[in-house]
Structures are given as structure tokens and as C-alpha cells.
Amino acid sequence: SSFHSSFVHSNSVYLFSAIRDVRTPVAISTSIDESLQKEKRDGLTRVKILLLGGADAGKSTILKQMRILHMNGLSDEEMHSFHKYLKYNVFQIFHEIAIGVQELIPEIANNEKSKIYRFAETYTWIMGTDEEKEREALLNFFALNCVRSFIDLYPNYPTLPDNANYYLPNLTKLLAPGYTPTPEDILHLRIPTTSVNEINFSFATRTIRLIDVGGQRTYRKKWLHCFDGVAAVLFVASMAAYDQSLDEVDKMIKPVLHKDIFPVQFHKPVSYDDNRLRDSAQLFGDMLRSKFLATASFILFLNK
């Protein structure tokens, strides 16, 4: 009797252990199946959209606008760093204005020549000084007679950044200590994209995954990593680029054309133009012909 009860007890323990051992992998398998089903359901409602286009086409601004319209807006960090990027943008604007003044304004007052030359040569000399000196130098340059004449005569100078027409009329207010920027002020900042930026937001019954990548030629080789599972390409082209040229770095890099990947037996020699709009059109054609984007829809967004 004692042996029998001990045998039954041990078999019960064994049976319980066996059931427990079976239940564990079954539970894990069920959990994995449920996760896969959830991912599948989420995948049907999630739309991956890729923001592509040449440098300075306005892709990052569109990304910011989506955050303002469909998410929580701009971060505190972006609000706090506004003044740093604003001054950097104004330095760039004044650098181009100084070059334009030297090129197009025939008579420059003697007391203004040194300031024009200094900004035309470089603008790094002022960076790193205290904020009050930076502000004073920028406002003094903006008040020069030759600068005011240039802005009046050539408001659409080809190399002048397009945010100049927004920032210059309000420069004194924007540079004032303690000024609180508006979302519009931050939207006009030019900050080159050097990495992949991504946001996810809900729109109608879908979740939009919007991905922005750098548009300079040096960054385009990294685009391939983002092509998997793309539902649509939002290609942004700047209409203001018709009389603009590529930056020096981009001019030196030969673009990879479709014919270079899939050689054609007979073709005319291609002249590599440094015009930004031609570069954008060429890039759009390359993306349309890409085998990695064969199933993606294309939206051409004509900006600026």
C-alpha cells in the first residue's frame, strides 16, 4: 500500500511536470503567433512614406509641418536652440550678400569695405564670441548702405538662401534677447539633414511612417537602406532652384545615372550639369527607374 501510494504520487508529479513542460512552449508559441498577427494587422494600417529630393528642396520643413499638424508640435530643445541656428542662418545670408555686393554694387563707401570683405571671405571669425557682440555685428552689417542697396536691387539673388526674405525684415525683433520664436520662425530655419529622421503619426485610419533623409549627393548612397517596404515616395523638388547651382562638395561628386548601372550599348555622352533643378530632375528619373521602388507610388511635390 505504501509502495503503491508512493508510486502513484511520483507518477502524479511526473505527469504534472510533463504537462507544465508542454504548456510552456505552447504558451510561448501562442504568444509568438499573437505577436505576428498583431504585426500583420499593424502592417496593413501602417504606411511607409519616403521623403526624397535634392538638397535644400524643403523636405525637413515638410517633416516639421507634419509634426505641428498631426503630432505634439516642436520640442523644447528645438525652441531653445532656435537662436543658435538663427544666427548661423543669418551668417550664411550675410556671407552671400557680401559676395553679391562685391560683384554687383559698383561703389562701396570706404568705411564699409572692410566689413563687406570680412563677411565675404568667411563668417567663422564671429562665431564663438559672446551673444551681444554677435548681435551687434549682424545688425551693424545689416545697416550698411551698400547692403541695403543690394537687398533692394537684388532680392532674388541666385545664391541668397530663400529664408532671407522671411528673416531680414524681422531681424531686429528676432535677434532681441529673450525673444520667443514662433513655429513659423523655426520652420524657416535651414538645418542640413545629415542623418535619417523619422516620425510616426495617425491620419484617418492609417499610421503614417514618414522618413526624411539627407538630399546632398554625399548622402544619397545611404537611401537604399530605407527603400524596403516603401508604399509611396514623396519627391520634393524646389522650383526656386532653376537658377541655383549645387554646393561645391556636390559639384565634385559625379551622380550615379541609370545607364551606369544598366549600360546601354549606344548612348550620347552625358554632360554633368551643376544646376540644381537639372540635378533634381535627373534624381527623380533615377528614383522612378529604381528596381527597389518598383512597387511604390510616386508623388511629385513642387515646392517653393
Side-chain angles (χ1 to χ4, degrees), residues 168-188:
L168 293 185
N170 303 301
L171 194 59
T172 305
K173 176 185 74 175
L174 293 169
L175 291 176
Y179 173 74
T180 302
T182 65
E184 187 77 5
D185 296 336
I186 296 174
L187 280 176
H188 281 85

Side-chain angles (χ1 to χ4, degrees), residues 134-150:
E134 285 182 341
R135 181 173 177 272
E136 184 181 347
L138 291 172
L139 292 177
N140 286 343
F141 179 87
F142 188 49
L144 296 178
N145 290 327
C146 59
V147 170
R148 307 300 299 189
S149 298
F150 176 84

Side-chain angles (χ1 to χ4, degrees), residues 41-50 198-203 205-211 228-233 297 299:
R41 289 194 301 271
D42 291 344
L44 292 173
T45 59
R46 187 185 293 118
V47 179
K48 182 177 177 181
I49 299 177
L50 203 55
E198 177 183 330
I199 60 171
N200 293 271
F201 59 91
S202 298
F203 181 76
T205 59
R206 301 296 180 103
T207 298
I208 305 295
R209 183 185 176 196
L210 189 62
I211 301 172
D228 185 44
V230 172
V233 172
S297 299
I299 306 159

Side-chain angles (χ1 to χ4, degrees), residues 222-264:
K222 300 178 182 178
W223 289 6
L224 280 175
H225 301 295
C226 304
F227 284 1
D228 185 44
V230 172
V233 172
L234 179 59
F235 191 94
V236 185
S238 168
M239 295 292 93
Y242 71 94
D243 62 349
Q244 296 174 352
S245 60
L246 295 168
D247 293 337
E248 289 300 322
V249 174
D250 283 346
K251 285 181 189 178
M252 294 162 57
I253 301 172
K254 175 182 172 181
V256 178
L257 304 181
H258 181 259
K259 72 172 188 62
D260 297 328
I261 304 171
F262 307 104
V264 181

